[in-house]
Amino acid sequence: MAVTQGHGNPRWTRDETLLALALYFDVDGKVPSPRAPEVKALSEILRSLPYYAEVAKQPTFRNPDGVGFKLMNIRQVATGKGLGNVSSMDRQIWAEYGARKDEVHQIAKAIKAGIATVGSEQIPEIEQELPEGRVLTAIHIRRERNPKVRKMLLDDRRVAGFRCDICDLARPDLEEPLQEAIFEAHHLVPLADAGERKTKLADLALLCACCHRLIHRAMVAKARWMGLDEARALIVPG
Ligand SMILES: [Zn+2]
Ligand SMILES: [Zn+2]
């Protein structure tokens, strides 16, 4: 069940708030009328997000008026002026991304492309959603769990012996199928840059399940993408 507010509509997600922030930047903080084509366009995109199939049947869901209110809320957070009903998500996204305009545009572009990639399939709620939101996190996870991608990486590392690229964990004493069970593929390309290109070996790190969990959690905590060196400094005891 989605959490709702206002007219029974679910709270705005990270994806949605990032898309609204991109539009806020596009219009230079001058909130357009709900009839403006760019507001209508965003309303359409939000209604097509691959986790809103049911609620998007409601005509009031993320209609142009709702998008207009959200833009005013963002303006309020950005300028400190106004009397709207600002949410904690509005504040959080502004704190994280208010000074990262180019990145926000890149993420918004990737989310829009991601909606097309995912198609009509609905994405379930994700426990540790990355800062770029649910659509791009789902695509990242799907890419990493792709059996062909995993096999490509394991086959590449088999001869040298499986070893975690962050903490160096290796268990050559175990039988190979058990060793394989320790390791996962992690996609190194930032979510907003990955696009539709085919995953190459160079895009991948072999991580033990524990380090994989930790690097994802650290990205959530820091609200930005993180490379292996930074993760190593954070995770591996000095
Ligand atoms: Zn590890
Ligand atoms: Zn990963």
Side-chain angles (χ1 to χ4, degrees), residues 5 32 42 48 77 84 106 114 122 131 135 137 154 161 169-170 174 182 185 199 213-214 222-223 233 236-237:
Q5 68 176 11
L42 180 54
S48 74
V77 178
Q106 212 177 352
Q122 297 289 297
V135 171
T137 304
L154 289 175
L169 175 79
L174 292 177
I182 297 172
T199 302
R213 207 178 164 79
L214 285 171
K222 300 223 179 242
V236 180

PDB file of all heavy atoms in Angstrom, residues 5 32 42 48 77 84 106 114 122 131 135 137 154 161 169-170 174 182 185 199 213-214 222-223 233 236-237:
ATOM      1  N   GLN A   5      -1.400  11.123   0.899  1.00  0.00           N
ATOM      2  CA  GLN A   5      -1.617  12.417   1.541  1.00  0.00           C
ATOM      3  C   GLN A   5      -2.573  13.220   0.669  1.00  0.00           C
ATOM      4  O   GLN A   5      -2.813  12.884  -0.475  1.00  0.00           O
ATOM      5  CB  GLN A   5      -0.301  13.176   1.720  1.00  0.00           C
ATOM      6  CG  GLN A   5       0.307  13.627   0.408  1.00  0.00           C
ATOM      7  CD  GLN A   5       1.564  14.463   0.616  1.00  0.00           C
ATOM      8  OE1 GLN A   5       2.094  14.544   1.682  1.00  0.00           O
ATOM      9  NE2 GLN A   5       2.019  15.095  -0.438  1.00  0.00           N
ATOM     10  N   PRO A  32       5.375  28.108 -13.819  1.00  0.00           N
ATOM     11  CA  PRO A  32       4.406  28.377 -14.881  1.00  0.00           C
ATOM     12  C   PRO A  32       2.988  27.974 -14.470  1.00  0.00           C
ATOM     13  O   PRO A  32       2.796  27.302 -13.468  1.00  0.00           O
ATOM     14  CB  PRO A  32       4.895  27.512 -16.044  1.00  0.00           C
ATOM     15  CG  PRO A  32       5.805  26.490 -15.460  1.00  0.00           C
ATOM     16  CD  PRO A  32       6.165  26.902 -14.063  1.00  0.00           C
ATOM     17  N   LEU A  42       5.101  17.118 -17.708  1.00  0.00           N
ATOM     18  CA  LEU A  42       5.591  16.452 -16.497  1.00  0.00           C
ATOM     19  C   LEU A  42       4.473  15.637 -15.853  1.00  0.00           C
ATOM     20  O   LEU A  42       4.703  14.513 -15.387  1.00  0.00           O
ATOM     21  CB  LEU A  42       6.176  17.471 -15.496  1.00  0.00           C
ATOM     22  CG  LEU A  42       6.703  16.859 -14.197  1.00  0.00           C
ATOM     23  CD1 LEU A  42       7.727  15.755 -14.449  1.00  0.00           C
ATOM     24  CD2 LEU A  42       7.324  17.935 -13.297  1.00  0.00           C
ATOM     25  N   SER A  48       2.849   8.119 -15.750  1.00  0.00           N
ATOM     26  CA  SER A  48       3.307   6.896 -16.439  1.00  0.00           C
ATOM     27  C   SER A  48       4.413   6.174 -15.670  1.00  0.00           C
ATOM     28  O   SER A  48       4.963   5.182 -16.149  1.00  0.00           O
ATOM     29  CB  SER A  48       3.805   7.250 -17.844  1.00  0.00           C
ATOM     30  OG  SER A  48       5.065   7.902 -17.757  1.00  0.00           O
ATOM     31  N   VAL A  77      10.992  25.930  -0.630  1.00  0.00           N
ATOM     32  CA  VAL A  77      12.186  25.380   0.009  1.00  0.00           C
ATOM     33  C   VAL A  77      13.434  26.120  -0.494  1.00  0.00           C
ATOM     34  O   VAL A  77      14.341  26.438   0.274  1.00  0.00           O
ATOM     35  CB  VAL A  77      12.319  23.865  -0.281  1.00  0.00           C
ATOM     36  CG1 VAL A  77      13.586  23.316   0.340  1.00  0.00           C
ATOM     37  CG2 VAL A  77      11.124  23.112   0.265  1.00  0.00           C
ATOM     38  N   GLY A  84       3.270  27.240   1.385  1.00  0.00           N
ATOM     39  CA  GLY A  84       2.762  25.939   0.924  1.00  0.00           C
ATOM     40  C   GLY A  84       3.000  24.845   1.936  1.00  0.00           C
ATOM     41  O   GLY A  84       3.532  25.071   3.016  1.00  0.00           O
ATOM     42  N   GLN A 106      20.671  15.552 -15.721  1.00  0.00           N
ATOM     43  CA  GLN A 106      21.129  14.254 -16.232  1.00  0.00           C
ATOM     44  C   GLN A 106      20.304  13.113 -15.629  1.00  0.00           C
ATOM     45  O   GLN A 106      19.908  12.181 -16.325  1.00  0.00           O
ATOM     46  CB  GLN A 106      22.592  14.090 -15.830  1.00  0.00           C
ATOM     47  CG  GLN A 106      23.399  13.300 -16.815  1.00  0.00           C
ATOM     48  CD  GLN A 106      24.850  13.247 -16.385  1.00  0.00           C
ATOM     49  OE1 GLN A 106      25.265  13.917 -15.440  1.00  0.00           O
ATOM     50  NE2 GLN A 106      25.619  12.443 -17.065  1.00  0.00           N
ATOM     51  N   GLY A 114      14.535   5.655 -18.480  1.00  0.00           N
ATOM     52  CA  GLY A 114      14.296   4.440 -17.701  1.00  0.00           C
ATOM     53  C   GLY A 114      12.832   4.031 -17.710  1.00  0.00           C
ATOM     54  O   GLY A 114      12.520   2.844 -17.756  1.00  0.00           O
ATOM     55  N   GLN A 122       5.601  -3.275 -13.556  1.00  0.00           N
ATOM     56  CA  GLN A 122       5.572  -2.417 -12.372  1.00  0.00           C
ATOM     57  C   GLN A 122       6.725  -2.745 -11.424  1.00  0.00           C
ATOM     58  O   GLN A 122       6.992  -3.912 -11.146  1.00  0.00           O
ATOM     59  CB  GLN A 122       4.234  -2.566 -11.646  1.00  0.00           C
ATOM     60  CG  GLN A 122       3.049  -2.107 -12.491  1.00  0.00           C
ATOM     61  CD  GLN A 122       3.019  -0.586 -12.668  1.00  0.00           C
ATOM     62  OE1 GLN A 122       2.876   0.166 -11.717  1.00  0.00           O
ATOM     63  NE2 GLN A 122       3.175  -0.118 -13.912  1.00  0.00           N
ATOM     64  N   PRO A 131      20.107   7.285  -4.305  1.00  0.00           N
ATOM     65  CA  PRO A 131      19.686   8.696  -4.350  1.00  0.00           C
ATOM     66  C   PRO A 131      18.956   9.077  -5.636  1.00  0.00           C
ATOM     67  O   PRO A 131      18.135   9.992  -5.634  1.00  0.00           O
ATOM     68  CB  PRO A 131      21.001   9.462  -4.240  1.00  0.00           C
ATOM     69  CG  PRO A 131      21.995   8.510  -3.703  1.00  0.00           C
ATOM     70  CD  PRO A 131      21.530   7.134  -3.971  1.00  0.00           C
ATOM     71  N   VAL A 135      13.237   4.189 -10.051  1.00  0.00           N
ATOM     72  CA  VAL A 135      13.341   3.661 -11.422  1.00  0.00           C
ATOM     73  C   VAL A 135      14.793   3.300 -11.736  1.00  0.00           C
ATOM     74  O   VAL A 135      15.086   2.188 -12.202  1.00  0.00           O
ATOM     75  CB  VAL A 135      12.814   4.686 -12.451  1.00  0.00           C
ATOM     76  CG1 VAL A 135      13.127   4.233 -13.876  1.00  0.00           C
ATOM     77  CG2 VAL A 135      11.315   4.895 -12.282  1.00  0.00           C
ATOM     78  N   THR A 137      17.299   2.861  -9.619  1.00  0.00           N
ATOM     79  CA  THR A 137      17.788   1.804  -8.726  1.00  0.00           C
ATOM     80  C   THR A 137      17.348   0.434  -9.250  1.00  0.00           C
ATOM     81  O   THR A 137      18.137  -0.515  -9.285  1.00  0.00           O
ATOM     82  CB  THR A 137      17.262   1.991  -7.286  1.00  0.00           C
ATOM     83  OG1 THR A 137      17.639   3.280  -6.825  1.00  0.00           O
ATOM     84  CG2 THR A 137      17.850   0.949  -6.343  1.00  0.00           C
ATOM     85  N   LEU A 154      32.202 -13.644 -13.485  1.00  0.00           N
ATOM     86  CA  LEU A 154      32.772 -14.806 -12.777  1.00  0.00           C
ATOM     87  C   LEU A 154      33.762 -15.550 -13.680  1.00  0.00           C
ATOM     88  O   LEU A 154      34.845 -15.931 -13.238  1.00  0.00           O
ATOM     89  CB  LEU A 154      31.656 -15.742 -12.309  1.00  0.00           C
ATOM     90  CG  LEU A 154      30.793 -15.240 -11.152  1.00  0.00           C
ATOM     91  CD1 LEU A 154      29.644 -16.210 -10.868  1.00  0.00           C
ATOM     92  CD2 LEU A 154      31.614 -15.030  -9.872  1.00  0.00           C
ATOM     93  N   GLY A 161      41.197 -16.505  -9.423  1.00  0.00           N
ATOM     94  CA  GLY A 161      40.576 -16.791  -8.121  1.00  0.00           C
ATOM     95  C   GLY A 161      39.653 -15.637  -7.730  1.00  0.00           C
ATOM     96  O   GLY A 161      40.022 -14.475  -7.882  1.00  0.00           O
ATOM     97  N   LEU A 169      38.390 -10.112   0.305  1.00  0.00           N
ATOM     98  CA  LEU A 169      37.969 -11.437   0.775  1.00  0.00           C
ATOM     99  C   LEU A 169      38.106 -12.476  -0.343  1.00  0.00           C
ATOM    100  O   LEU A 169      37.693 -12.230  -1.475  1.00  0.00           O
ATOM    101  CB  LEU A 169      36.508 -11.400   1.250  1.00  0.00           C
ATOM    102  CG  LEU A 169      35.921 -12.763   1.666  1.00  0.00           C
ATOM    103  CD1 LEU A 169      36.386 -13.155   3.053  1.00  0.00           C
ATOM    104  CD2 LEU A 169      34.411 -12.751   1.613  1.00  0.00           C
ATOM    105  N   ALA A 170      38.706 -13.598  -0.019  1.00  0.00           N
ATOM    106  CA  ALA A 170      38.783 -14.737  -0.934  1.00  0.00           C
ATOM    107  C   ALA A 170      38.657 -15.996  -0.089  1.00  0.00           C
ATOM    108  O   ALA A 170      39.136 -16.028   1.050  1.00  0.00           O
ATOM    109  CB  ALA A 170      40.113 -14.725  -1.682  1.00  0.00           C
ATOM    110  N   LEU A 174      37.176 -23.097  -0.202  1.00  0.00           N
ATOM    111  CA  LEU A 174      35.829 -23.637  -0.448  1.00  0.00           C
ATOM    112  C   LEU A 174      35.739 -24.206  -1.865  1.00  0.00           C
ATOM    113  O   LEU A 174      36.462 -23.781  -2.755  1.00  0.00           O
ATOM    114  CB  LEU A 174      34.784 -22.519  -0.305  1.00  0.00           C
ATOM    115  CG  LEU A 174      34.553 -21.930   1.074  1.00  0.00           C
ATOM    116  CD1 LEU A 174      33.537 -20.793   0.965  1.00  0.00           C
ATOM    117  CD2 LEU A 174      34.055 -22.989   2.045  1.00  0.00           C
ATOM    118  N   ILE A 182      29.439 -16.426  -2.657  1.00  0.00           N
ATOM    119  CA  ILE A 182      29.857 -15.277  -1.842  1.00  0.00           C
ATOM    120  C   ILE A 182      29.783 -13.978  -2.629  1.00  0.00           C
ATOM    121  O   ILE A 182      29.565 -12.911  -2.070  1.00  0.00           O
ATOM    122  CB  ILE A 182      31.311 -15.490  -1.331  1.00  0.00           C
ATOM    123  CG1 ILE A 182      31.384 -16.710  -0.417  1.00  0.00           C
ATOM    124  CG2 ILE A 182      31.844 -14.241  -0.632  1.00  0.00           C
ATOM    125  CD1 ILE A 182      32.805 -17.100  -0.042  1.00  0.00           C
ATOM    126  N   ALA A 185      27.940  -9.219  -8.680  1.00  0.00           N
ATOM    127  CA  ALA A 185      28.410  -8.204  -9.629  1.00  0.00           C
ATOM    128  C   ALA A 185      27.886  -6.846  -9.189  1.00  0.00           C
ATOM    129  O   ALA A 185      26.719  -6.715  -8.832  1.00  0.00           O
ATOM    130  CB  ALA A 185      27.905  -8.528 -11.025  1.00  0.00           C
ATOM    131  N   THR A 199      26.292  -3.801 -20.892  1.00  0.00           N
ATOM    132  CA  THR A 199      27.263  -3.869 -19.807  1.00  0.00           C
ATOM    133  C   THR A 199      28.540  -4.568 -20.279  1.00  0.00           C
ATOM    134  O   THR A 199      28.494  -5.673 -20.815  1.00  0.00           O
ATOM    135  CB  THR A 199      26.664  -4.639 -18.614  1.00  0.00           C
ATOM    136  OG1 THR A 199      25.472  -3.966 -18.214  1.00  0.00           O
ATOM    137  CG2 THR A 199      27.636  -4.680 -17.444  1.00  0.00           C
ATOM    138  N   ARG A 213      26.455  -4.821  -0.251  1.00  0.00           N
ATOM    139  CA  ARG A 213      25.403  -4.211   0.563  1.00  0.00           C
ATOM    140  C   ARG A 213      25.884  -2.885   1.151  1.00  0.00           C
ATOM    141  O   ARG A 213      25.166  -1.891   1.170  1.00  0.00           O
ATOM    142  CB  ARG A 213      25.060  -5.191   1.689  1.00  0.00           C
ATOM    143  CG  ARG A 213      23.667  -5.068   2.194  1.00  0.00           C
ATOM    144  CD  ARG A 213      23.398  -6.117   3.268  1.00  0.00           C
ATOM    145  NE  ARG A 213      22.196  -5.732   3.977  1.00  0.00           N
ATOM    146  CZ  ARG A 213      20.972  -5.942   3.507  1.00  0.00           C
ATOM    147  NH1 ARG A 213      20.796  -6.537   2.361  1.00  0.00           N
ATOM    148  NH2 ARG A 213      19.910  -5.546   4.204  1.00  0.00           N
ATOM    149  N   LEU A 214      27.125  -2.908   1.629  1.00  0.00           N
ATOM    150  CA  LEU A 214      27.658  -1.704   2.283  1.00  0.00           C
ATOM    151  C   LEU A 214      27.853  -0.546   1.308  1.00  0.00           C
ATOM    152  O   LEU A 214      27.573   0.605   1.638  1.00  0.00           O
ATOM    153  CB  LEU A 214      28.975  -2.023   2.995  1.00  0.00           C
ATOM    154  CG  LEU A 214      28.822  -2.799   4.306  1.00  0.00           C
ATOM    155  CD1 LEU A 214      30.176  -3.265   4.820  1.00  0.00           C
ATOM    156  CD2 LEU A 214      28.127  -1.954   5.366  1.00  0.00           C
ATOM    157  N   LYS A 222      25.065   8.881   1.806  1.00  0.00           N
ATOM    158  CA  LYS A 222      25.741  10.095   1.335  1.00  0.00           C
ATOM    159  C   LYS A 222      24.962  10.796   0.232  1.00  0.00           C
ATOM    160  O   LYS A 222      25.356  11.876  -0.225  1.00  0.00           O
ATOM    161  CB  LYS A 222      27.138   9.751   0.818  1.00  0.00           C
ATOM    162  CG  LYS A 222      28.021   9.123   1.885  1.00  0.00           C
ATOM    163  CD  LYS A 222      29.429   9.694   1.870  1.00  0.00           C
ATOM    164  CE  LYS A 222      30.249   9.049   2.954  1.00  0.00           C
ATOM    165  NZ  LYS A 222      30.740   9.959   3.969  1.00  0.00           N
ATOM    166  N   ALA A 223      23.894  10.156  -0.242  1.00  0.00           N
ATOM    167  CA  ALA A 223      23.051  10.713  -1.294  1.00  0.00           C
ATOM    168  C   ALA A 223      23.835  11.040  -2.560  1.00  0.00           C
ATOM    169  O   ALA A 223      23.588  12.033  -3.228  1.00  0.00           O
ATOM    170  CB  ALA A 223      22.302  11.959  -0.805  1.00  0.00           C
ATOM    171  N   ALA A 233      37.893   2.971   1.504  1.00  0.00           N
ATOM    172  CA  ALA A 233      38.352   3.814   2.612  1.00  0.00           C
ATOM    173  C   ALA A 233      37.324   3.829   3.744  1.00  0.00           C
ATOM    174  O   ALA A 233      37.667   3.949   4.922  1.00  0.00           O
ATOM    175  CB  ALA A 233      38.612   5.230   2.108  1.00  0.00           C
ATOM    176  N   VAL A 236      36.829  -0.726   4.751  1.00  0.00           N
ATOM    177  CA  VAL A 236      37.919  -1.588   5.195  1.00  0.00           C
ATOM    178  C   VAL A 236      38.625  -0.938   6.378  1.00  0.00           C
ATOM    179  O   VAL A 236      38.999   0.232   6.306  1.00  0.00           O
ATOM    180  CB  VAL A 236      38.915  -1.846   4.030  1.00  0.00           C
ATOM    181  CG1 VAL A 236      40.057  -2.746   4.491  1.00  0.00           C
ATOM    182  CG2 VAL A 236      38.184  -2.473   2.851  1.00  0.00           C
ATOM    183  N   PRO A 237      38.798  -1.680   7.466  1.00  0.00           N
ATOM    184  CA  PRO A 237      39.447  -1.075   8.631  1.00  0.00           C
ATOM    185  C   PRO A 237      40.881  -0.638   8.291  1.00  0.00           C
ATOM    186  O   PRO A 237      41.615  -1.380   7.627  1.00  0.00           O
ATOM    187  CB  PRO A 237      39.448  -2.189   9.674  1.00  0.00           C
ATOM    188  CG  PRO A 237      38.847  -3.391   9.048  1.00  0.00           C
ATOM    189  CD  PRO A 237      38.440  -3.087   7.666  1.00  0.00           C
TER     190      PRO A 237
END
